Amino acid sequence: MHFKARAGEKLRDTRLQQALAKAQGKFVHTRAEAILELENFEAYRDAAASIRDRVIRDLDLYLEQFEKNASARGAVVHWAETAQDVNRIVCEIAELHGVRKAVKSKSMVSEECALNEALEAAGVEVVETDLGEYILQLAHEPPSHIVAPVVHKTKDEVSDLFEQKHKKPRKTGIPELCREAREVLRPHFLSADMGISGANFLIAETGSTLIVTNEGNGRLVTTMPRVHVAITGIEKVVPTLEDIATLLRLLPRSATGQAITNYVSINTGIKSRDDSDGPEHFHIVLVDAGRTKLLGGVMQSMLRCIRCGACMNHCPVYQNIGGHAYGWVYPGPMGSVLTPVYAGLENALDLPNASTFCGECAVVCPVKIPLPDLMRNLREQQTEQGLRSWQERLALKIWAWTALHPGIYAALSRIAARILKGMAGGGKLLHYLPGGHGWTDGRDLPAPEGRTFRELYRERRR
Amino acid sequence: MRVGLFVTCLVDLMRPRIGFAALQLLEAAGYEVIVPDAQTCCGQPGYNSGDRSPAKALALKVLREFAGCDYVVAPSGSCAGMIREHYPRLFQDEPQQLEKISELAQRTYELTDFLVNVAKLQNVLGSFHGSITYHDSCSGLRELGVKNQPRQLLAKTPGLQLKEMRDCETCCGFGGTFSVKFGDISTRMADNKCNAIQASGAAAVVLGDLGCMLNIEGRLRRRGDNKTRVLHVAEILAGEEGT
Ligand code: SF4
C-alpha cells in the first residue's frame, strides 16, 4: 500500500484521530512555553546548527577521536556500514557473551535495521523496556513517532492490550497501567544478559554515549546487564561536553517541552574496580546505513538532525494522519527526507510531495534544517530521474509553455474564466470539475467572476 | 514612484476585483501604478513540482516586465515570497543574472507589507460593518514576516472588529498541486481551518492569498456554510468587497 492509500485510511480511523488530536495540542503547546524560558532561543538554534555543521564537516576526525577515547575506557567500537551489518555485529556480540535475553531501551536506529527480528532469529529473547516501545512490542506494531512511539494509541487500547497480554484484571488509570508494566519489566532487567540502548549523542572528547529518557529504563538497561551495546548513527557525534550543554537546552524543549528530561545518562567505558555497577563489556555500534552518502551533497544539512520530533509535532499533515502512513521508521517532514534518501527515491515517491510547504517544520527545527527546501530538492531529483507520471509531466509542460506565451495564455484564461463560470450555472460554486475530483471530492470550487483582470483592465484604460 | 502590480495568475483568472482593489490602494497611497500586460505566472507550479527550468524562464520574464518599476507589489504572500525568497536561489550559480534577480527580489513586496512598511499608508479606503477573523497564509507569514501588517491596516478600517481564531497560523491545506494530489488530506486540513473560523464567531474570514481563499471558501460551502464570507484583505481595505 502506498502513502496516499494509507493516509486515506488513517483519516477515516476515528480512534487514531482522537489520539492524534490529543497529542498535537500537548506537544505544540508545551514546546511553545518551554522555548520562552530561553532568553534567546534563536541564538541557541544558530549555535546548535553550527555545532552540528562543524561535526559534519570533519566527521571522520571526530569519529576517530571518539573511538580512541571510548577504547581507552574499555569500550569496543564497531563500524556498521549497512543495516545488515548492525544485525550481524550485534548477534555476534550476543553469541560471544552467551546472551539469552536482552533488554532494550529506545533506539530508532535499531528500527532501521529491524534488529529485534534478527536477534530473535538468533535465539535471543528481546524485551523492549521503554513503555511506549513495550506496548508496541506487545501489539506487534511499529512506532508512529520517533519520540512518542505509541502516540497513535488511546489509553483504552492500552488497557485492552494489557488485559489480554498480561492476563490481569483490566486497569484504566495511567498510574495503574504504568505500575503493571513496571511489575512485568522488573524481572527482565534483573535476568537480562545484555542491555541494548541507542545514543542521542556521542561525545568525542570523552568517548561517552549519552541518552535522554524520562522513564529511567535507559539507566537500568545500560548498567544492570553485564553487556551493554549502544547503537547509533555516525552523525550523532558531538565534539565536547560544552557543546552537549547547548544541544541539551534545545532537545528536550523541542521534543516534549521539558527544560530537561527526567534522566540524562552519560555512559563512559566499562565498570572499573571501584564502580558499584556498570557493564563488564561495552560495545558501541556506529552505523552508516546511508549517512555518508549525504556528506558533501545538497542533503548534508539533514545530518544535523537530533531526532527531537518537533517537525512532525508541528506538521499539519502528520497531525492529521499520524506516523504509520509514512511507511518506514521515520515519519513527518524529517521522514519525508530521510526515507527517500535511505530507502531509495523510487521507494517513497509520495513522501517529498506530501507537503504543502507551509514551512512550520523549518521554523521549529532546533538545528535549522531547511526541510521544505530538502523536500523540494527531492522533487527535483524525481523529475530528473523520470519518476513522475506522464500525466503530470504533460500538465507541467502545457502550463510552462502557455505561461511563456502571454498572448495564448491570455486567450486561454479568458476562455477558462467563461467556461468555469458557465459550469457554475448562474451560481457561484462548481460542485464538480472533470479531472479535478482531487479538489471537488471534498470541496466546491468557487467560480471565477467571468472575465479576466487583463480584459477588464484594458477596457477600463480605454 | 512607479509600482508594478503583479496581478498573479489566480487573481487574473478567478477574482479580478482583488486586482482592482490592490490597484486602487496603491494609487491612493500616491504611486503611479503600471500593470505589465504580458505578465502571467510567477513560476511556482513548476518550481514546487520539481522543475526549475520553467520557473527560471518565468523569473527572467518577470525581471524584464518589471524592469522599469521602483517596486513590484503582489496581492499574494505566496507569489511575492516566490520572487523575494526563491528567485535568487534559482540563479545561485549564475552571478550575472543573480545580481539583477536579487535586486528585483529586494524591491518586491506583498501588498499589505508594502502599504504599511513602504507606503506608510495612513487611511484605508473601505469600511466594514461586522466582525472578521484573519487567516495567516503560510508563505506570507513564514517567508516574508507578514503578520501585523494586515492587522494594522484592518484596525484602521471603520466598523471592523477583529476576532482572532485559534491556530490562525496553521496551514489551510492548499499547497498548490498538493490540494489536488492529496485531496483528502488537504480537505481535512481545510476542515480544521473551517472549524477554527466558525468557532471564532466572525462573520467573515479575511486573508491575503487566493489559493487559501478558494480552498477555505470551497470547503465552507461544501460543509453547508453559506454565511461566513471569505474576503481578500485588499477587498476590505479598498471598500470593494462586493456582495
Ligand atoms: S529535522 Fe529538526 S525538528 Fe525534525 S526531528 Fe530532526 S532536529 Fe527535530
Side-chain angles (χ1 to χ4, degrees):
Chain A
M1 210 193 315
H2 286 292
F3 171 83
K4 242 169 106 163
R6 278 193 301 263
E9 223 169 59
K10 301 298 173 194
L11 287 168
R12 291 185 295 271
D13 182 338
T14 44
R15 270 205 175 188
L16 173 72
Q17 292 297 324
Q18 272 171 24
L20 289 174
K22 215 166 161 186
Q24 176 202 341
K26 207 177 82 195
F27 280 130
V28 172
H29 188 72
T30 51
R31 173 196 170 272
E33 291 200 331
I35 65 166
L36 290 179
E37 294 163 7
L38 291 183
E39 221 158 79
N40 198 343
F41 183 67
E42 286 308 308
Y44 272 108
R45 287 177 79 215
D46 286 329
S50 90
I51 290 170
R52 298 295 297 136
D53 277 345
R54 183 150 47 93
V55 167
I56 294 159
R57 231 179 0 251
D58 288 314
L59 190 59
D60 48 345
L61 289 181
Y62 289 109
L63 285 170
E64 272 170 27
Q65 191 192 355
F66 174 81
E67 182 179 28
K68 196 172 120 249
N69 291 328
S71 308
R73 306 293 294 263
V76 184
V77 176
H78 305 260
W79 302 94
E81 208 177 309
T82 65
Q84 291 80 359
D85 290 343
V86 178
N87 294 346
R88 179 182 48 77
I89 291 167
V90 179
C91 288
E92 280 170 11
I93 296 170
E95 201 186 323
L96 176 71
H97 298 292
V99 171
R100 276 166 315 181
K101 184 192 280 186
V103 281
K104 213 168 147 243
S105 70
K106 210 165 131 15
S107 152
M108 291 310 289
V109 176
S110 74
E111 299 283 342
E112 281 180 45
C113 23
L115 175 66
N116 291 9
E117 287 78 357
L119 279 169
E120 276 156 15
V124 178
E125 181 191 354
V126 184
V127 183
E128 293 283 357
T129 66
D130 172 90
L131 181 58
E133 295 285 354
Y134 173 67
I135 292 167
L136 294 179
Q137 194 178 26
L138 290 183
H140 299 290
E141 283 174 27
S144 69
H145 188 287
I146 60 170
V147 172
V150 72
V151 67
H152 59 281
K153 277 201 184 306
T154 59
K155 193 185 69 187
D156 287 346
E157 288 174 272
V158 177
S159 295
D160 293 345
L161 184 71
F162 275 17
E163 183 186 14
Q164 185 202 345
K165 299 281 176 177
H166 294 160
K167 307 208 172 11
K168 289 188 179 164
R170 190 173 191 275
K171 315 278 189 304
T172 50
I174 289 176
E176 290 76 32
L177 288 165
C178 288
R179 191 170 317 127
E180 187 171 304
R182 191 172 287 142
E183 280 162 16
V184 175
L185 288 172
R186 273 290 143 96
H188 289 303
F189 286 118
L190 294 169
S191 59
D193 314 291
M194 179 159 101
I196 302 172
S197 73
N200 294 90
F201 298 112
L202 304 164
I203 306 160
E205 68 171 353
T206 59
S208 321
T209 63
L210 181 148
I211 54 173
V212 293
T213 72
N214 278 318
E215 295 164 20
N217 64 311
R219 194 157 282 185
L220 292 171
V221 162
T222 55
T223 55
M224 302 254 317
R226 57 195 163 86
V227 185
H228 173 202
V229 179
I231 305 169
T232 200
I234 48 172
E235 84 284 12
K236 291 293 182 61
V237 67
V238 167
T240 64
L241 279 164
E242 184 81 32
D243 296 325
I244 291 285
T246 304
L247 293 169
L248 279 187
R249 288 206 165 87
L250 295 177
L251 174 57
R253 284 187 169 87
S254 303
T256 49
Q258 292 170 289
I260 192 154
T261 43
N262 295 348
Y263 298 87
V264 176
S265 310
I266 300 181
N267 292 91
T268 314
I270 52 171
K271 179 180 174 179
S272 71
R273 205 173 302 142
D274 310 326
D275 288 344
S276 57
D277 55 16
E280 292 157 31
H281 308 280
F282 186 13
H283 295 271
I284 302 169
V285 184
L286 300 183
V287 185
D288 179 351
R291 286 154 175 82
T292 45
K293 270 195 302 192
L294 274 63
L295 288 171
V298 280
M299 296 282 148
Q300 178 169 298
S301 59
M302 197 59 221
L303 291 173
R304 288 182 203 152
C305 177
I306 57 174
R307 305 291 194 264
C308 72
C311 55
M312 57 199 76
N313 294 338
H314 291 77
C315 173
V317 174
Y318 179 95
Q319 285 167 355
N320 284 297
I321 61 173
H324 285 158
Y326 291 81
W328 197 52
V329 185
Y330 299 110
M334 56 89 82
S336 294
V337 175
L338 283 180
T339 305
V341 168
Y342 289 169
L345 197 60
E346 64 287 355
N347 294 320
L349 287 178
D350 276 339
L351 294 190
N353 297 299
S355 161
T356 62
F357 284 161
C358 81
E360 186 66 1
C361 51
V363 170
V364 297
C365 176
V367 285
K368 299 187 108 167
I369 301 173
L371 291 154
D373 294 338
L374 299 185
M375 285 187 257
R376 188 184 293 103
N377 188 282
L378 289 167
R379 294 183 190 185
E380 285 165 9
Q381 291 182 29
Q382 290 181 344
T383 305
E384 281 157 22
Q385 297 182 22
L387 291 169
R388 282 183 192 286
S389 70
W390 66 266
Q391 291 97 327
E392 195 181 352
R393 274 178 307 182
L394 182 68
L396 268 174
K397 274 232 160 64
I398 295 173
W399 162 80
W401 191 84
T402 42
L404 288 164
H405 292 83
I408 294 165
Y409 185 91
L412 288 176
S413 335
R414 253 195 327 265
I415 297 169
R418 284 169 176 76
I419 292 183
L420 289 172
K421 185 176 159 110
M423 283 170 64
K428 289 189 168 165
L429 300 167
L430 280 92
H431 307 299
Y432 173 74
L433 193 64
H437 70 93
W439 181 284
T440 51
D441 279 354
R443 284 153 294 194
D444 291 331
L445 180 69
E449 288 171 25
R451 304 179 69 196
T452 65
F453 178 88
R454 207 185 311 263
E455 286 175 75
L456 294 165
Y457 183 72
R458 262 193 214 154
E459 233 166 62
R460 289 195 193 185
R461 297 261 296 194
R462 233 180 259 142
Chain B
M1 293 284 242
R2 294 175 90 191
V3 169
L5 178 63
F6 188 74
V7 179
T8 79
C9 56
L10 281 176
V11 166
D12 178 52
L13 176 69
M14 305 294 289
R15 292 286 177 271
R17 66 163 178 263
I18 294 169
F20 287 108
L23 185 72
Q24 275 184 49
L25 287 162
L26 291 167
E27 282 178 349
Y31 293 89
E32 179 198 345
V33 182
I34 62 155
V35 186
D37 188 52
Q39 60 177 297
T40 55
C41 169
C42 68
Q44 265 192 94
Y47 182 58
N48 286 341
S49 298
D51 198 351
R52 279 174 168 240
S53 57
K56 284 174 80 167
L58 285 165
L60 294 174
K61 181 171 169 298
V62 171
L63 181 67
R64 282 193 305 273
E65 280 159 0
F66 289 88
C69 306
D70 300 298
Y71 299 102
V72 179
V73 175
S76 156
S78 173
C79 309
M82 176 70 189
I83 300 175
R84 261 193 101 105
E85 288 296 305
H86 298 281
Y87 275 12
R89 293 189 205 179
L90 286 170
F91 295 92
Q92 236 160 21
D93 305 323
E94 293 161 54
Q96 259 196 327
Q97 303 285 23
L98 183 61
E99 195 182 322
K100 281 178 280 175
I101 285 282
S102 302
E103 190 260 333
L104 166 72
Q106 277 155 31
R107 58 191 162 91
T108 300
Y109 289 84
E110 182 274 341
L111 177 67
T112 61
D113 188 23
F114 182 80
L115 292 175
V116 170
N117 291 321
V118 180
K120 313 242 187 286
L121 190 73
Q122 289 309 316
N123 297 306
V124 303
L125 308 172
S127 62
F128 186 86
H129 296 286
S131 58
I132 64 120
T133 191
Y134 197 84
H135 164 68
D136 295 288
S137 296
C138 297
S139 310
L141 175 71
R142 297 189 187 87
E143 291 180 346
L144 305 174
V146 174
K147 174 79 190 175
N148 292 324
Q149 299 87 322
R151 287 175 175 78
Q152 273 180 43
L153 294 169
L154 288 167
K156 295 181 200 282
T157 308
L160 182 142
Q161 186 204 351
L162 175 67
K163 290 183 178 172
E164 294 285 4
M165 66 174 124
R166 63 165 192 262
D167 301 332
C168 59
E169 294 184 357
T170 300
C171 178
C172 73
F174 175 65
T177 54
F178 175 89
S179 61
V180 181
K181 277 192 201 160
F182 300 95
D184 48 359
I185 305 177
S186 174
T187 299
R188 176 62 59 85
M189 289 162 71
D191 236 1
N192 297 341
K193 183 55 69 177
C194 293
N195 290 340
I197 292 166
Q198 289 173 332
S200 77
V205 53
V206 178
L207 33 68
D209 258 284
L210 254 282
C212 316
M213 197 171 169
L214 299 173
N215 190 37
I216 292 173
E217 185 172 347
R219 185 59 196 162
L220 280 171
R221 302 299 174 249
R222 178 62 62 90
R223 283 160 52 125
D225 180 342
N226 294 312
K227 237 177 49 217
T228 308
R229 301 178 67 193
V230 184
L231 297 166
H232 191 284
V233 60
E235 296 178 86
I236 294 211
L237 299 177
E240 278 252 327
E241 83 267 28
T243 45

